[in-house]
Amino acid sequence: MNFLRGVIGGQPAGPQPSGAETIQKLCDRVASSTLLEDRRDAVRALKSLSKKYRMEVGTQAMDHLVHILQTDRSDSEILGYALDTLYNIICNDEEEEQDESEDAVTPIPLSGKHKNVPVPDENAQKQADDLGAQFTEKFIQDSENVTLLLTLLEEFDFHVRWPGVKLLTALLKNQCVQVQGVILVSPMGVSRLMDLLADSREVIRNDGLLLLQQLTKSNAAIQKIVAFENAFERLLDIITEEGSSDGGIVVEDCLLLLVNLLKNNSSNQNFFKEGSYIQRMKPWFEVGDDNSGWSAQKVTNLHLMLQLVRVMVSPVNSPGATASCQKSMYQCGLLQQLCTILMATGVPADILTETINTVSEVIRGSQINQDYFASVNAPSNPPRPAIVVLLMSMVNERQPFVLRCAVLYCFQCFLYKNQKGQGEIVATLLPSTIDANSISAGQLLCGGLFSADSLSNWCAAVALAHALQDNLTQKEQLLRVQLATSLGKPPVSLLQQCTNILSQGDKINRRGSKVQTRVGLLMLLCTWISNCPIAVTHFLHNQENVPFLTGQISENLGEDERLVQGLCALLLGICIYYNDNSLENYTKEKLKQLIEKRIGKENFVEKLGFITKHELYSRAAQKPQPVFPSPEQMLFDHEFTKLVKELEGVITKAVHKSSEEEKKEEEVKKTLEQHDSIVTQYKELIREQDTQLQELKEQVSSMSCQNEQMQVTLTQQLSQIQQHKDQYNILKLKLGKDNQSQASIQGDGSQVNGLQTEELSQLRAEVDELRKQQTLLQTQLADKDTLINTLRSEGAQTAEDTAGGSDNTELLEELEALRTRVQSQSAEIGQLQTERQELLRRAEAGSSSEAVPSSEGAADAAKVAELESRLAAQTSETDRLKEEARSLSEGRGALEQQLASANSTVAILQTEKAKLQTEVQESKKEQDDLLMLLADQDQKIHSLKQRLKDLGQTVEDEDDLDARDPTDDDDEEEDDEE
C-alpha cells in the first residue's frame, strides 16, 4: 500500500522510477495480488496514468485489464476502472479529464457528446489515431473480448454500463467493420444494445444513441435488425419527449440514427412507411407566424428532419417505393405542411433552401403532388402561384446561389413526367393566354433567358428545356411564341431570338461566366429540336444558323470554348438526324457534304466528343439535383446528359453514312416496314381468328353442357312417363272390374222389375245411361293413354325440362284424383250389387208364396227409393268426371304445343351447331393458308436481312424486337398514367 501511495500521493525520497517502470510494477501487482483491494488500487492507478502514458499502458496492461473483466465480475468498481482505462488507451478524442481521487464521485455529463474540444496538432492527432487503431485491433483479435463487453452492458450499475458504452463506441469508431461483424454474429448482441434506449439515466441513453449511430453505419443487416427491434417507435418517442425541433442535441442524435437506418435501405423504408411513421413526422414541421430568432440547434434539427423526408423519396430509391411514400406524404398532410414553411416569412435561408429541395423530391414524378403544388399560392396581395414566386427568386441575381439552384431543382421536379404542367408553362408564353396585368412563369423565364446575368440565362434556359422534355406537342407550340424586341421593329420568334443571342457571343457584356449563357442556349436548342422535324425545319429556315454552327465547329479555340464547339456539333448533328428533307438547300445529304468540306467528318466527331469528356459532364450525370460548388461550374443539366448519351452514337453513324448507303438503307427500311406491316396485319388477322375460335369453342362448350343437361332432363321425363303409364294401366284394370259389377247390377235390376215393373224400368234406363257415361269415360282414358305414349315417343328429342316435368306432375295428380273417385264408385256399385241380390232373393220368395206381408213390401219400396237416390248421385258424379276429362283434354293440347316448340328449338340448335362446325373448319383452313403466307414472308425477310448484313448493317432479330415491344408499351402506359 505504501508503494501505491507513493505512486499516487506524495513524493518519496530517492530517485523516481520512470513511467514505464511504474506501469510495469502496477501490471505485476494486478496479475499477482490475491486481495481484491490491491488489484482495485492498481487498476485505479493504471487509469490515472493511461492518459499520459497511453502507449505504455496499452502495450503492457491490456491483457491484465481484460483478465480483470473476466474474473472480477462481482466487483463493479474494479470493472469500471478497467473499462475506463481501456477507453482511455483506445479512444482517439482529445478531451479534458478531471482529476479523480479514490473518494471522488464520477461526474455525469449532461449529454452524450463532448463539446468545446480543442483542436490538436495535426501530426499528433494522426499519431493518436494510429495508436487507437492499433490497440483496437489488438483488443478485437479475440472476438470473445467484444462478446464479454456486450455481456457487461447488461449490468445495471452505472459505473460499469456507462464506461462499457463509451468503450464499445470507441471500438466502432476505430475498426467499424470488424466490430460490426462480431456483434452481428453474437447472440442477442444488437438486442442488448437496443436496451440502452430504454435506460432511465439520460447519459447512458444518449451515449447509447451515439453507439447505435456508429453501429449502423453502412451495414444493411444491422440496420434491419435495429429497425425490427422497434427502433423507430423508440426514437420517435424520444424526439417527441425532447420537444421535436425545439429539442436539444439528443433530438439531433436521434435524427442522425434515423437517417442511418433509412438511407439506401429499401426494407427499412418500407417498414417505416407501413408502420405509419410518416404520419408522425407531420408535427415536426408546424411553424408559427413569428419565425424570428431560431436557435442554431433548432436549425440543425429541422435540417435533419428535412433530410429524413428526402431519404424516403430520394430519386435513387426504387420508383415504386418512392411513389408510395409520396402518396402517403400527401395523404397525411406532410406536403401541405412543407409548402406552408415554403411560403412562410422569417424562415432561415438554409432551412428555406432545404425545404425547397425536400418539396422538389416529394412532388417529383407524382401527378397528384404536382397538381397540388401548382395550386399553392403565396400569401401576397394579390395572391401569386408559388411557382411564380420561386421563379422570381431563381432569376434574381441577388438571391443566394444555393437557393437559386434549389428553385431550379424544384421547377425541374414539378415538370418531371408532367405533361399537364409542361403545357401550362408553355401556355403562359403563347399570345392568346398572356395577361398584361400579371406576371406569369413564361414571362419570368423569358426575362431570365435574355437578362445580363449569365447564371439567370443558364437557369432559365434549362428550366424552359424541361418544359419541352419528351413532349413533341409543346415543342411545336413553342414555335408560335413571338417576342417584341423594340419599338418599330416586327416581332421575332423565340427560336430566332435564341439563335441571335447565340451568334452575338461575347459581344454582349454579361455578368458571370463567358460560356455559361451560350451553353444554356445550346442545351435549350438541342432539347427543343431533337425528335421534332418541324422545329428542325424552322431552325434551318434561318440562313445564318448553319454557317454560324460550321464556323464555330471549324475554328481552333481555347480550352474554355471546346464545350461550345461540342454543343454546336451536337446541334448540327441533330439537324441532320431529324431532318425530313423539306428544305431543298439543307437536306441531309447537303448538310453532310457541308460538314465534309468545311469541317471534316473526323474533326466533327472529335468536337462532338468534347461534351462527354468534359469534367463537369460526369458530375451532372450522377444525380438529378443540380449541386455545384460555384456558379461558374454550373454548365450541364442532368436530363441533358441523358440526351447526349442517346444521340452521340446515332449522330456519328448518320454523319459517316454515304448517300448510297442511306438510300439502300431507306429502301431496305421501307421494304422491311412494308413486310412488317403485312406481317402485322396477318398477326392481327390471326389474333382475331384466334379470338373468334376461342369464342366458338366457348359456345360449343356451353352448348355441350346444355345438351348434357337436356339429356339428364329427358331421362328423368322418360322415367316419369313410365311411372304414369304403369299407374294408368292399374287404373284401367280397376275400371274394367267396376264396369263388370255395374253390368251385373243392371241384370239384377231387371229381375226386381218383376215385382215393380215401372220403377225397375226407370231404374234400368238410368243404369244404362250411367253405363254409357262410364264407357265414354273409359274412351277418354284410352285417349289419355295414347297421349302418354305420344309424349314418350317425342320426349327423346325435346330439350325443355321444366314445362314437361310440371305438366306430367299435374297429369299424375289428376290421374290420382280420378283413381280415388273410381274406387269410391266401385265401392258404391258393390254395395248396390249386394242390395240387388237381396231383392232377388226376396222376389223369389214372393213368387212361391203370394201372401206377402204389407210390412215387407213397404221395406222393399224404401230400398228402391234409396237405390234411386244413389243412382242420381252417381249420375252427378259422372257429370263431374266428364268435366274433368274435358279439362284434361285441354291440358293435353297445351302439352302438345310445348312439345312442338321444344322440337323446333332442338332443330334450330342442331342447325346452328352444324354451322359452327362448318365455320371452325373454314377458320382452320384459312389459318393454314395464313401460316403458309407467313412462312413465305419470313423467308423473304430473312433474305432481306441477309442482304443488310452483307451490306454491313446491324440488323436486330424479330425476337429481340418483340421482346422490347411490351416493355416500350409499358413505359408509354406509365407515362400516360403519370
Side-chain angles (χ1 to χ4, degrees):
M1 293 298 294
N2 291 332
F3 169 75
L4 293 176
R5 291 192 188 95
V7 172
I8 301 173
Q11 298 288 336
Q16 297 295 325
S18 64
E21 295 174 351
T22 304
I23 292 169
Q24 181 62 43
K25 292 178 180 179
L26 290 173
C27 291
D28 294 340
R29 176 73 74 174
V30 171
S32 60
S33 296
T34 57
L35 294 177
L36 179 61
E37 292 182 359
D38 290 345
R39 294 197 300 275
R40 185 190 305 133
D41 292 338
V43 174
R44 182 183 178 189
L46 288 172
K47 175 190 172 184
S48 63
L49 296 172
S50 60
K51 282 289 183 181
K52 186 175 181 181
Y53 300 101
R54 184 180 177 190
M55 171 68 77
E56 292 78 2
V57 174
T59 54
Q60 299 181 35
M62 180 175 288
D63 294 336
H64 300 293
L65 295 173
V66 171
H67 184 70
I68 290 292
L69 296 179
Q70 294 171 346
T71 57
D72 291 331
R73 294 283 300 276
S74 60
D75 187 61
S76 60
E77 190 173 358
I78 193 172
L79 289 178
Y81 291 150
L83 291 170
D84 281 332
T85 307
L86 289 171
Y87 173 73
N88 289 339
I89 63 177
I90 288 176
C91 180
N92 293 322
D93 295 335
E94 294 290 335
E95 302 171 339
E96 292 184 0
E97 291 292 327
Q98 297 182 356
D99 292 334
E100 296 179 353
S101 61
E102 183 178 356
D103 299 327
V105 179
T106 304
I108 301 176
L110 297 177
S111 172
K113 285 192 174 181
H114 303 276
K115 299 299 181 181
N116 300 323
V117 178
V119 180
D121 180 69
E122 185 176 353
N123 294 330
Q125 183 63 37
K126 185 177 180 181
Q127 293 177 359
D129 293 344
D130 295 339
L131 197 59
Q134 292 174 8
F135 288 141
T136 301
E137 188 174 356
K138 180 179 179 181
F139 183 82
I140 66 175
Q141 278 181 353
D142 186 1
S143 59
E144 292 298 326
N145 293 341
V146 180
T147 305
L148 174 64
L149 188 56
L150 292 173
T151 306
L152 292 174
L153 291 179
E154 294 181 350
E155 297 287 340
F156 187 74
D157 191 284
F158 179 82
H159 296 282
V160 177
R161 202 172 205 186
W162 186 39
V165 171
K166 293 194 298 179
L167 175 58
L168 189 55
T169 305
L171 292 172
L172 284 165
K173 285 182 179 179
N174 293 335
Q175 298 287 343
C176 185
V177 178
Q178 292 83 344
V179 180
Q180 284 176 338
V182 176
I183 295 176
L184 191 59
V185 299
S186 176
M188 301 296 291
V190 178
S191 299
R192 293 170 181 170
L193 300 181
M194 287 298 300
D195 292 339
L196 298 174
L197 297 182
D199 200 303
S200 58
R201 295 159 294 191
E202 289 189 4
V203 62
I204 294 180
R205 183 198 68 183
N206 299 343
D207 279 347
L209 289 171
L210 301 179
L211 170 60
L212 290 172
Q213 284 180 26
Q214 297 296 327
L215 179 66
T216 55
K217 280 184 178 179
S218 305
N219 193 310
I222 293 180
Q223 291 169 0
K224 291 178 183 179
I225 297 174
V226 171
F228 282 97
E229 288 285 346
N230 206 23
F232 294 141
E233 184 75 27
R234 296 184 186 182
L235 293 173
L236 292 175
D237 288 342
I238 294 174
I239 291 173
T240 304
E241 293 171 3
E242 295 291 329
S244 297
S245 61
D246 294 323
I249 197 170
V250 178
V251 173
E252 179 184 348
D253 293 337
C254 291
L255 291 170
L256 288 171
L257 179 54
L258 283 172
V259 171
N260 277 359
L261 294 175
L262 293 173
K263 193 170 185 179
N264 299 326
N265 193 318
S266 58
S267 176
N268 283 2
Q269 290 174 5
N270 185 61
F271 182 64
F272 191 84
K273 179 185 70 69
E274 295 297 334
S276 300
Y277 296 119
I278 291 179
Q279 288 80 341
R280 295 185 61 178
M281 296 167 66
K282 180 187 174 184
W284 296 352
F285 303 102
E286 293 178 354
V287 295
D289 297 332
D290 185 14
N291 296 309
S292 60
W294 284 24
S295 65
Q297 187 61 56
K298 181 175 182 178
V299 171
T300 302
N301 291 344
L302 202 55
H303 197 275
L304 288 172
M305 290 172 178
L306 292 169
Q307 282 188 1
L308 189 62
V309 175
R310 293 185 65 184
V311 165
M312 297 296 295
V313 293
S314 174
V316 301
N317 298 342
S318 64
T322 300
S324 180
C325 292
Q326 288 172 335
K327 182 179 179 182
S328 298
M329 290 178 183
Y330 173 76
Q331 291 176 344
C332 74
L334 180 58
L335 175 59
Q336 293 84 330
Q337 204 68 46
L338 293 174
C339 290
T340 302
I341 298 177
L342 199 64
M343 296 292 105
T345 57
V347 178
D350 52 348
I351 293 298
L352 180 61
T353 302
E354 190 64 20
T355 304
I356 294 173
N357 289 326
T358 305
V359 171
S360 305
E361 295 182 353
V362 172
I363 68 174
R364 187 176 189 268
S366 174
Q367 188 65 52
I368 298 176
N369 294 3
Q370 289 167 340
D371 292 342
Y372 171 77
F373 183 70
S375 66
V376 175
N377 289 322
S380 59
N381 191 16
R384 291 175 176 170
I387 297 175
V388 173
V389 176
L390 291 174
L391 287 178
M392 292 172 68
S393 300
M394 186 186 74
V395 298
N396 186 357
E397 56 184 307
R398 297 180 181 178
Q399 294 293 337
F401 172 64
V402 290
L403 179 62
R404 298 174 74 181
C405 291
V407 173
L408 176 61
Y409 184 46
C410 185
F411 191 73
Q412 292 173 349
C413 291
F414 170 68
L415 297 178
Y416 182 70
K417 294 184 178 180
N418 183 10
Q419 294 193 353
K420 178 182 176 183
Q422 290 175 326
E424 292 173 353
I425 297 298
V426 173
T428 59
L429 287 167
L430 299 178
S432 59
T433 58
I434 293 178
D435 185 4
N437 298 323
S438 63
I439 300 176
S440 66
Q443 293 172 355
L444 289 170
L445 290 177
C446 282
L449 193 62
F450 306 128
S451 71
D453 177 33
S454 61
L455 183 59
S456 298
N457 300 152
W458 190 91
C459 292
V462 170
L464 197 55
H466 277 261
L468 307 175
Q469 195 76 37
D470 298 328
N471 196 326
L472 181 61
T473 303
Q474 302 311 321
K475 291 178 181 180
E476 295 176 357
Q477 288 291 324
L478 199 63
L479 295 172
R480 298 168 48 202
V481 177
Q482 300 290 321
L483 302 175
T485 55
S486 60
L487 294 176
K489 292 185 178 181
V492 297
S493 66
L494 178 61
L495 183 65
Q496 181 62 43
Q497 185 65 15
C498 290
T499 57
N500 291 341
I501 296 176
L502 187 62
S503 62
Q504 291 175 2
D506 296 334
K507 297 178 182 178
I508 301 177
N509 187 16
R510 299 182 184 276
R511 295 180 294 274
S513 173
K514 294 182 180 180
V515 299
Q516 196 169 38
T517 299
R518 285 182 288 168
V519 169
L521 289 172
L522 285 168
M523 287 196 299
L524 171 60
L525 291 173
C526 291
T527 304
W528 190 347
I529 70 173
S530 65
N531 200 23
C532 183
I534 298 177
V536 172
T537 303
H538 278 256
F539 180 79
L540 295 176
H541 193 269
N542 186 354
Q543 302 293 330
E544 299 177 358
N545 289 340
V546 174
F548 167 74
L549 293 178
T550 55
Q552 287 287 317
I553 299 170
S554 60
E555 290 182 4
N556 292 322
L557 303 175
E559 190 72 23
D560 296 337
E561 298 293 333
R562 283 190 173 185
L563 179 58
V564 176
Q565 287 184 313
L567 292 173
C568 289
L570 178 65
L571 184 59
L572 186 57
I574 292 173
C575 292
I576 296 174
Y577 187 72
Y578 292 106
N579 195 336
D580 58 359
N581 296 324
S582 58
L583 292 178
E584 185 178 355
N585 294 332
Y586 294 109
T587 61
K588 286 184 178 182
E589 185 60 31
K590 290 185 178 181
L591 288 175
K592 287 194 290 185
Q593 291 176 0
L594 187 65
I595 290 175
E596 188 173 2
K597 290 179 181 179
R598 296 191 180 180
I599 304 172
K601 292 183 178 180
E602 299 300 330
N603 190 25
F604 177 85
V605 174
E606 182 184 359
K607 296 292 177 68
L608 183 63
F610 286 165
I611 302 175
T612 55
K613 293 177 181 178
H614 199 278
E615 58 180 353
L616 297 177
Y617 175 87
S618 58
R619 181 183 300 177
Q622 291 175 359
K623 56 183 179 179
Q625 183 181 0
V627 179
F628 303 96
S630 63
E632 291 77 14
Q633 296 185 7
M634 201 170 185
L635 293 178
F636 284 104
D637 173 59
H638 178 74
E639 293 296 328
F640 180 74
T641 60
K642 293 182 180 179
L643 181 66
V644 172
K645 186 177 180 180
E646 176 186 350
L647 293 178
E648 184 179 9
V650 295
I651 289 175
T652 302
K653 290 181 180 179
V655 170
H656 281 293
K657 285 179 183 177
S658 63
S659 59
E660 294 180 357
E661 291 177 348
E662 283 192 353
K663 289 180 181 179
K664 290 181 181 179
E665 185 176 350
E666 288 179 0
E667 291 177 358
V668 172
K669 283 184 178 179
K670 288 181 181 179
T671 307
L672 287 175
E673 288 175 359
Q674 292 176 357
H675 287 292
D676 289 341
S677 63
I678 295 173
V679 171
T680 303
Q681 292 176 1
Y682 280 121
K683 284 182 178 179
E684 291 177 356
L685 181 59
I686 291 173
R687 289 192 190 101
E688 292 177 0
Q689 291 182 347
D690 287 340
T691 305
Q692 293 176 358
L693 284 173
Q694 188 65 28
E695 292 176 355
L696 292 174
K697 287 180 181 179
E698 291 177 357
Q699 292 178 4
V700 170
S701 176
S702 176
M703 289 181 179
S704 299
C705 294
Q706 292 178 2
N707 189 21
E708 291 176 359
Q709 293 176 358
M710 289 178 183
Q711 292 293 338
V712 173
T713 305
L714 183 60
T715 304
Q716 294 175 355
Q717 288 180 351
L718 289 174
S719 63
Q720 290 177 0
I721 290 172
Q722 184 63 38
Q723 292 176 1
H724 294 168
K725 185 176 180 181
D726 295 340
Q727 293 173 0
Y728 171 74
N729 290 331
I730 294 171
L731 290 174
K732 185 177 179 181
L733 293 173
K734 289 184 178 179
L735 286 175
K737 292 180 180 179
D738 293 340
N739 290 334
Q740 293 177 1
S741 299
Q742 289 180 0
S744 63
I745 290 172
Q746 289 178 357
D748 294 338
S750 64
Q751 296 178 0
V752 175
N753 286 336
L755 298 176
Q756 298 177 353
T757 307
E758 294 178 357
E759 293 176 354
L760 289 176
S761 61
Q762 185 179 359
L763 181 61
R764 185 182 296 112
E766 290 175 354
V767 170
D768 291 336
E769 183 67 20
L770 181 61
R771 184 176 181 183
K772 292 179 181 178
Q773 293 175 357
Q774 288 180 345
T775 303
L776 179 62
L777 181 61
Q778 186 176 2
T779 304
Q780 292 175 353
L781 289 175
D783 295 338
K784 291 294 181 182
D785 185 37
T786 305
L787 174 61
I788 290 172
N789 290 330
T790 305
L791 288 174
R792 182 178 181 183
S793 62
E794 295 176 351
Q797 299 177 356
T798 185
E800 298 292 328
D801 56 339
T802 306
S806 62
D807 291 341
N808 290 332
T809 303
E810 292 176 359
L811 180 60
L812 179 62
E813 291 175 355
E814 291 174 356
L815 290 176
E816 286 293 338
L818 183 61
R819 178 182 177 184
T820 304
R821 294 190 186 98
V822 170
Q823 288 177 353
S824 63
Q825 288 180 0
S826 298
E828 291 178 358
I829 290 172
Q831 187 176 1
L832 288 173
Q833 186 176 4
T834 303
E835 292 177 354
R836 181 181 65 80
Q837 290 176 356
E838 181 66 23
L839 287 174
L840 289 174
R841 185 178 59 78
R842 289 182 180 181
E844 290 176 357
S847 62
S848 62
S849 177
E850 295 179 355
V852 180
S854 60
S855 58
E856 291 179 358
D860 292 337
K863 287 186 177 182
V864 169
E866 183 180 359
L867 181 60
E868 290 176 351
S869 64
R870 289 181 178 178
L871 286 174
Q874 186 68 27
T875 302
S876 63
E877 182 68 16
T878 303
D879 294 335
R880 193 160 62 83
L881 288 173
K882 287 180 180 180
E883 293 295 327
E884 291 178 356
R886 188 180 297 108
S887 64
L888 286 173
S889 178
E890 293 175 355
R892 182 194 65 181
L895 186 60
E896 288 176 352
Q897 291 178 359
Q898 292 176 357
L899 287 172
S901 175
N903 290 333
S904 63
T905 302
V906 170
I908 292 170
L909 289 174
Q910 288 178 348
T911 305
E912 290 180 355
K913 183 177 179 181
K915 275 179 166 185
L916 290 175
Q917 289 177 348
T918 305
E919 290 176 359
V920 167
Q921 293 296 329
E922 291 176 356
S923 298
K924 288 183 177 178
K925 195 172 188 181
E926 291 178 0
Q927 191 171 8
D928 293 335
D929 296 338
L930 290 175
L931 290 175
M932 292 295 294
L933 288 174
L934 282 175
D936 295 338
Q937 293 297 331
D938 288 338
Q939 186 64 30
K940 291 180 181 178
I941 291 172
H942 179 73
S943 62
L944 290 172
K945 286 182 178 179
Q946 189 62 38
R947 286 176 57 191
L948 280 176
K949 290 180 179 178
D950 296 337
L951 293 173
Q953 298 298 320
T954 302
V955 179
E956 296 181 349
D957 293 333
E958 185 178 359
D959 294 337
D960 298 334
L961 295 174
D962 291 338
R964 285 207 303 267
D965 287 342
T967 307
D968 299 338
D969 294 339
D970 293 341
D971 294 338
E972 291 175 3
E973 290 176 2
E974 290 178 1
D975 294 340
D976 294 339
E977 291 174 359
E978 293 173 352

